[in-house]
C-alpha cells in the first residue's frame, strides 16, 4: 500500500537532481507501470514545441528565399540597428534566466522567488516586445513596411510570429501567476509551470536563430 | 459593424447551392429540434458532446467523416453529370459554380472525410490495443475533435453565406491572391483549414505521447499491433508537416489581408515557393491517410486468415521507412515547374523508392493469407479489393514518378484517375474495412453481412467504371477541371464514368441501408463476448462496447498478438483465468471545454472571413476564458468504485465462460 501511496504522491515530490525534495529516492520509470503525469505532460509539450519549431522553420525558409528580393527597397543593412537587437537579445535571455529562477522558486515553494521571478520575466518580456514594436513602427513610418517588398514581408512575418509567441507567452505567464495565487502549488499547476518554462526557453532558442539568420547575417552582407 | 457581410452574400441568384444549403441546414436543425423534443439532449450532452472518452470521440469523428462523405460525394455526382452533359454545351453548372464544386470536393474528401475517418479509428482502437484506459490528454482530444468539426461547419456555411474557393483544393497563387480572387471563397478555405489544422496537430501530439509513453506493462514496441505502429507513423507525420501547412496558409493570409508579398507576382514575391511549401505538407498528408489504412488491413488480414501477420518486423520497418521517405518526394507534384533535370531525377527516384516498402507490405499481406483459414467477411472483402485496386494505382504512380512521362500527363485526367485509384482503393477501402471490422467493438453488435457485401461490390465495380475511363481520357489529352469541352472522342468515356458514379451511389445507399437494418436487428446481431472475429489483439479481450475504463485490471503483456495466447490457454484448459482483484478506477471527468472552445472558434473564423474585427476579438477572448475556466477546476477525475468494476467485468466474464463451454462442447 505504501508504494502505491508514494507513486500517487510522486507528482508532488518533483525532484531536483537525483533525489526528491522530501529526501526519498526517486522512483525509476521502470518501476511504474505507466509514466507519471508529469513526464507525460512534459513529453507531450516537448512534442508540441517541436511542431512549433517546425512552423518557424517554414518562416525561416521563406525568409531565406525572399531575403534578397528587396524590389528596389531597403535591404537588411539599411534598416537593422545593432544596438536595438543587442538590447532585445539581452532582455530575452535575461528573462529566460528569471523564468528559471521562478521555476526553482515554485519547486522550493518559495513565494518570493516564484512571484519575483515571474514578475521580472514579464517585465523583461514586455521590454523586448516594446523594443520590437518600436522597430516595426519605425520601419513602417519610413516606408519600409511589410508591403514594400518580399524581403520586408518575410522579415515582418518571421520576427512578428516570434513576437506574437512572446505576447501569448506573457498572457500565459500572468495567468500562471494568478493561478498559483488562487490555488497554490498544486501538482497540475506545477506541470503547467513546467510547460510554460519550456515554452519560454524555446522562444529563446528561436530568437537565437532569428538573431543569427536575420540580424547578424543581414548586417554582415 | 458587420465588416464585408451584407445581404449580397446570400447567393439568391444561384438556386443550386442555396437550395442545397437550406435543405442541409434545415435537416440538421430539424434533427436538433427532434432530439430536444424527445428529451435526448441531456444524454447527448453528457455522453457525447462533453465526453472525453476516446471511444466516444472516435465515434463522433467517424460520424463527421460519413456526413462529409455524403456532401463530398454529392459534389462528385455534380461534376460527373456536368461533364457528361457539357459536350459542346454549357451543361447545367456555370463555370464559377463548377470551380467551387471541384475545390470543395477535394478539400472535403481529404481533410474532412479521410482525416477524421482515420483519426476516428485511431481514437477508438489504439488505446484499447495498447491496453490502457485513455489517451495522454483526454480533454485535448475533445478539443481536437470539435475544432475539426468547426472547420467542416465553416466550409459548409460557405454554401449559403458567400462562396467557396474557386482555386482547386490547394489554393495556388497568384490565382488565390486578392487581385485574382477578391471574394471570401479563399478566406473560407484558409480559416477553416487553419482551425481544423490546430485540431489535427493536437491529435498528432496526443497520439505520439500516448503511444510512446502510455502502454500497458510488457507492451514493448515490438509487441505493439501494426495498427499502433501505423498510427504512430501517421501522428509523427502530422507533427512534422501540419505546422508547415499552418505557416504556409498564414503567409497567404498575410498576403490577402495585409498586403504582404510572399506569393504575389509583384515586389519580389515568389508563387513557386507556395508550391514547394504546400506540397511539403501535401505529400506527407496522403501518407498520413494511407498508413493507418495499411494498419487496418494488417489487422484484418491477420485476424480473418487466422494467422499471425507474416513478416511483422519487416512491416514495422516498411511503415517507418515510408514515414521518412514520404517527406522527401514533394517535388514530384510539380516536375513541370522547371527545377532542372538533376532535381527532377532526384525526386523521381525518391518517389520510386517508396514503392519498395509498399511492395513489402503487399507481399506480407499476401503471405499472411497464404495457407491461412480465410473468412471472406466484409472487412476481408474490402482488404482484398484494396490489394487488387491499390497495386494498379501504385503502378500508375510509379509511371507518374518518371519525369518525362509526367510531363506528358501532367494535370490531365490520368493524374486524377491515379490519385483516386490510391485514395479510394487505399484510404476509403481501408476506412470501410476498419468500420466493418471494429463496428461490433464500438457498438456491441455486428453490421448486417449481405447488404455489406452488396455495398462492397457496388463500390468496387463502381470505382473501376468511374475511374478507368479517366486514365484513358488522360492519355487522350483531356486536362482536369474542365467545365465543358468540344472533343467528340471524350464524350463516351465520360458517360461511362458518370455511370460508374451511379453504381457507387448504389453502394452508398446500400451502406446506409445496412446501418439502418443492423440497428433494427441489433439483438440478433449482438456481440455478447466482445470477441466476434476470434481476434488476436487486446481490444478483443474486453467487452463490446468496452466499459468506460476499458480494462477492469491493467493487462500484462508477455508476447505479440497479446490476446491470442491468453485465449488459447483458456481454450486448452477449459477455464478462464482466475478472477482478478478489482480496485477503484479513476477516470478523467467530462468537460465542455472542447465544445465551448469550438463554439468560439466558429465565430472567430466567421468573423475573420468577413472582417468583423470586434467579433473576432470577442471570440478569441471567449476561447481564452474557456481554457482558463478549465484550468481553474478543482476536480479533474471521477472514481469508479471497485464493486462497480467487478459487476461490469463479471458480466463479461460470464458471457465468455458460456462461449468457452460451447466451444468445448463443439470439439
Amino acid at each position: 500500500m505504501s508504494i502505491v501511496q508514494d507513486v500517487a504522491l510522486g507528482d508532488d515530490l518533483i525532484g531536483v537532481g537525483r533525489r526528491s525534495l522530501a529526501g526519498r529516492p526517486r522512483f525509476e520509470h521502470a518501476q511504474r507501470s505507466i509514466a507519471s503525469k508529469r513526464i507525460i505532460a512534459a513529453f507531450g509539450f516537448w512534442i508540441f514545441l517541436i511542431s512549433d519549431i517546425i512552423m518557424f522553420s517554414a518562416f525561416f525558409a521563406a525568409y531565406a528565399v525572399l531575403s534578397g528580393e528587396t524590389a528596389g527597397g531597403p535591404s537588411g543593412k539599411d534598416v537593422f540597428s545593432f544596438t536595438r537587437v543587442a538590447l532585445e537579445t539581452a532582455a530575452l535571455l535575461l528573462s529566460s534566466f528569471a523564468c528559471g529562477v521562478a521555476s526553482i522558486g515554485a519547486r522550493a515553494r518559495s513565494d518570493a522567488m516564484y512571484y519575483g521571478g515571474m514578475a521580472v520575466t514579464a517585465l523583461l518580456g514586455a521590454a523586448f516586445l516594446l523594443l520590437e514594436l518600436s522597430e516595426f513602427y519605425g520601419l513602417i513610418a519610413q516606408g519600409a513596411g511589410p508591403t514594400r517588398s518580399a524581403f520586408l514581408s518575410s522579415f515582418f512575418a518571421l520576427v512578428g510570429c516570434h513576437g506574437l509567441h512572446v505576447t501569448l507567452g506573457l498572457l500565459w505567464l500572468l495567468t500562471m501567476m494568478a493561478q498559483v495565487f488562487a490555488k497554490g502549488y498544486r501538482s497540475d499547476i506545477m506541470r503547467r509551470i513546467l510547460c510554460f518554462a519550456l515554452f519560454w526557453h524555446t522562444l529563446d532558442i528561436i530568437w537565437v536563430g532569428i538573431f543569427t539568420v536575420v540580424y547578424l547575417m543581414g548586417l554582415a552582407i | 459593424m458587420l465588416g464585408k457581410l451584407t445581404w449580397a452574400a446570400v447567393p439568391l441568384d444561384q438556386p443550386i447551392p442555396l437550395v442545397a444549403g437550406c435543405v442541409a441546414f434545415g435537416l440538421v436543425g430539424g434533427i436538433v429540434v427532434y432530439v430536444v423534443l424527445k428529451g435526448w439532449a441531456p444524454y447527448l450532452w453528457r455522453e457525447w458532446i462533453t465526453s472525453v472518452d476516446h471511444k466516444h470521440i472516435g465515434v463522433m469523428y467517424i460520424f463527421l467523416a460519413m456526413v462529409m462523405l455524403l456532401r463530398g460525394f454529392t459534389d462528385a455526382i455534380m461534376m460527373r453529370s456536368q461533364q457528361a452533359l457539357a459536350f459542346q454545351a454549357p451543361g447545367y453548372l456555370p463555370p464559377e459554380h463548377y470551380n467551387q464544386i471541384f475545390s470543395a470536393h477535394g478539400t472535403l474528401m481529404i481533410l474532412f472525410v479521410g482525416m477524421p475517418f482515420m483519426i476516428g479509428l485511431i481514437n477508438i482502437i489504439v488505446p484499447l490495443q495498447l491496453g490502457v484506459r485513455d489517451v495522454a490528454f483526454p480533454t485535448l482530444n475533445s478539443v481536437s475533435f470539435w475544432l475539426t468539426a468547426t472547420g467542416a461547419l465553416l466550409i459548409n456555411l460557405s454554401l449559403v453565406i458567400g462562396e467557396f474557393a474557386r482555386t482547386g483544393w490547394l489554393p495556388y497563387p497568384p490565382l488565390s491572391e486578392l487581385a485574382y480572387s477578391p471574394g471570401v471563397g479563399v478566406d473560407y478555405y484558409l480559416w477553416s483549414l487553419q482551425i481544423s489544422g490546430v485540431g489535427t496537430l493536437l491529435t498528432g501530439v496526443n497520439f505520439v505521447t500516448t503511444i510512446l509513453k502510455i502502454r500497458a506493462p510488457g507492451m514493448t514496441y515490438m509487441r505493439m499491433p501494426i495498427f499502433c505502429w501505423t498510427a504512430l507513423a501517421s501522428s509523427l507525420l502530422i507533427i512534422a508537416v501540419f505546422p508547415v501547412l499552418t505557416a504556409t496558409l498564414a503567409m497567404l493570409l498575410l498576403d490577402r489581408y495585409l498586403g504582404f508579398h510572399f506569393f504575389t507576382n509583384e515586389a519580389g514575391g515568389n508563387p513557386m515557393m507556395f508550391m514547394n511549401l504546400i506540397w511539403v505538407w501535401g505529400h506527407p498528408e496522403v501518407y498520413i491517410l494511407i498508413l493507418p489504412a495499411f494498419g487496418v488491413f494488417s489487422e484484418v488480414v491477420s485476424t480473418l486468415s487466422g494467422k499471425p501477420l507474416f513478416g511483422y518486423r519487416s512491416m514495422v520497418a516498411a511503415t517507418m521507412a515510408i514515414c521518412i521517405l514520404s517527406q522527401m518526394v514533394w517535388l514530384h507534384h510539380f516536375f513541370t515547374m522547371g527545377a532542372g533535370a538533376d532535381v527532377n531525377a532526384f525526386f523521381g527516384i525518391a518517389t520510386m523508392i517508396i514503392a519498395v516498402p509498399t511492395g513489402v507490405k503487399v507481399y506480407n499481406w499476401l503471405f499472411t493469407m497464404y495457407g491461412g483459414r480465410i473468412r471472406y467477411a466484409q472487412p476481408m472483402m474490402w482488404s482484398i479489393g484494396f490489394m487488387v485496386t491499390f497495386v494498379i494505382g501504385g503502378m500508375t504512380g510509379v509511371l507518374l514518378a518518371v519525369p518525362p512521362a509526367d510531363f506528358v500527363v501532367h494535370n490531365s485526367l490520368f493524374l486524377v484517375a491515379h490519385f483516386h485509384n490510391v485514395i479510394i482503393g487505399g484510404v476509403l477501402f481501408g476506412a470501410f474495412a476498419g468500420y466493418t471490422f471494429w463496428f461490433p467493438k464500438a457498438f456491441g453488435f455486428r453490421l448486417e453481412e449481405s447488404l455489406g457485401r452488396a455495398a462492397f461490390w457496388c463500390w468496387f465495380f463502381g470505382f473501376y467504371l468511374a475511374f478507368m475511363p479517366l486514365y484513358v481520357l488522360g492519355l487522350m489529352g483531356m486536362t482536369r477541371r474542365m467545365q465543358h469541352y468540344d472533343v467528340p472522342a471524350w464524350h463516351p468515356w465520360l458517360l461511362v464514368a458518370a455511370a460508374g458514379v451511379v453504381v457507387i451511389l448504389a453502394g452508398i445507399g446500400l451502406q446506409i441501408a445496412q446501418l439502418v437494418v443492423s440497428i433494427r436487428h441489433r439483438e440478433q446481431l449482438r456481440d455478447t463476448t466482445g470477441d466476434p472475429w476470434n481476434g488476436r489483439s487486446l481490444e478483443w479481450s474486453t467487452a463490446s462496447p468496452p466499459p468506460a475504463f476499458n480494462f477492469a485490471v491493467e493487462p500484462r503483456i508477455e508476447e505479440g498478438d497479446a490476446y491470442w495466447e491468453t485465449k488459447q490457454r483458456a481454450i486448452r484448459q477449459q477455464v478462464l483465468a482466475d478472477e482478478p482483484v478489482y480496485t477503484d478506477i479513476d477516470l478523467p471527468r467530462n468537460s465542455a471545454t472542447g465544445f465551448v472552445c469550438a463554439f468560439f472558434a466558429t465565430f472567430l473564423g466567421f468573423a475573420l472571413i468577413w472582417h468583423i474585427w470586434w467579433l473576432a476579438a470577442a471570440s478569441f477572448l471567449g476561447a481564452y476564458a474557456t481554457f482558463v475556466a478549465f484550468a481553474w477546476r478543482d476536480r479533474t477525475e471521477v472514481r469508479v468504485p471497485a464493486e462497480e468494476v467487478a459487476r461490469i467485468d463479471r458480466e463479461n466474464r460470464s458471457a465468455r465462460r458460456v462461449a468457452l463451454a460451447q466451444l468445448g462442447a463443439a470439439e
Side-chain angles (χ1 to χ4, degrees), chain A residues 29 33-35 37 39-41 43-45 47-48 50-52 54-55 57-59 61-63 65-66 69-71 146-154 156-158 168 171-172 175 178-179 182-183 186 188-189 192, chain B residues 131-133 136-137 201-202 204-205 208-209 212-217 239-241 243-244 246-248 250-251 254-255 258-262 266-270 273 277 554 556 620 624 628 630-634 636-637:
Chain A
H29 180 204
S33 52
I34 286 173
K37 281 183 174 174
I39 288 180
I40 291 169
F43 185 87
F45 199 74
I47 301 283
F48 168 76
I50 290 170
S51 78
D52 213 30
I54 293 172
M55 187 186 74
S57 73
F59 281 104
Y63 180 81
V65 169
L66 300 175
E69 305 292 340
T70 54
T147 55
R148 176 64 192 82
S149 68
F151 154 65
L152 284 162
S153 293
S154 60
F156 272 88
L158 171 59
L168 292 176
L171 190 62
W172 189 2
T175 313
Q179 213 176 14
K183 306 270 175 189
R186 223 165 53 182
D188 56 342
I189 295 174
R192 285 180 205 138
Chain B
V132 296
R133 301 226 155 96
F137 309 108
L201 175 69
L202 294 178
V205 171
V208 170
T209 313
L212 294 186
K213 283 288 166 202
I214 310 182
R215 299 188 304 276
I239 289 162
V241 299
V244 180
T246 304
T248 311
M251 291 176 205
L254 287 169
D255 277 7
L258 296 172
F260 281 42
H261 289 289
F262 277 106
E266 311 88 54
N270 189 342
M273 189 170 71
L277 284 171
E554 200 173 47
R556 309 251 150 195
F620 175 79
Y624 168 71
V628 173
F630 169 71
W632 237 258
R633 56 182 203 165
D634 291 320
T636 56
E637 291 184 330

Side-chain angles (χ1 to χ4, degrees), chain A residues 102-165:
Chain A
S103 302
I104 295 172
R107 287 183 192 179
R109 304 291 186 268
S110 155
D111 279 350
M113 260 172 97
Y114 174 70
Y115 290 114
M118 289 294 254
V120 173
T121 310
L123 287 175
L124 287 166
F128 169 86
L129 269 182
L130 278 179
L131 283 165
E132 189 163 275
L133 284 175
S134 81
E135 179 186 27
F136 283 6
Y137 180 78
L139 282 173
I140 294 169
Q142 58 173 289
T147 55
R148 176 64 192 82
S149 68
F151 154 65
L152 284 162
S153 293
S154 60
F155 164 79
F156 272 88
L158 171 59
V159 180
C161 184
H162 178 265
L164 193 65
H165 275 72

Side-chain angles (χ1 to χ4, degrees), chain B residues 80-97:
Chain B
R80 282 282 133 260
S81 51
Q82 165 72 15
Q83 287 198 328
L85 294 172
F87 167 58
Q88 293 178 345
Y92 68 103
L93 292 172
E96 69 277 6
H97 188 194

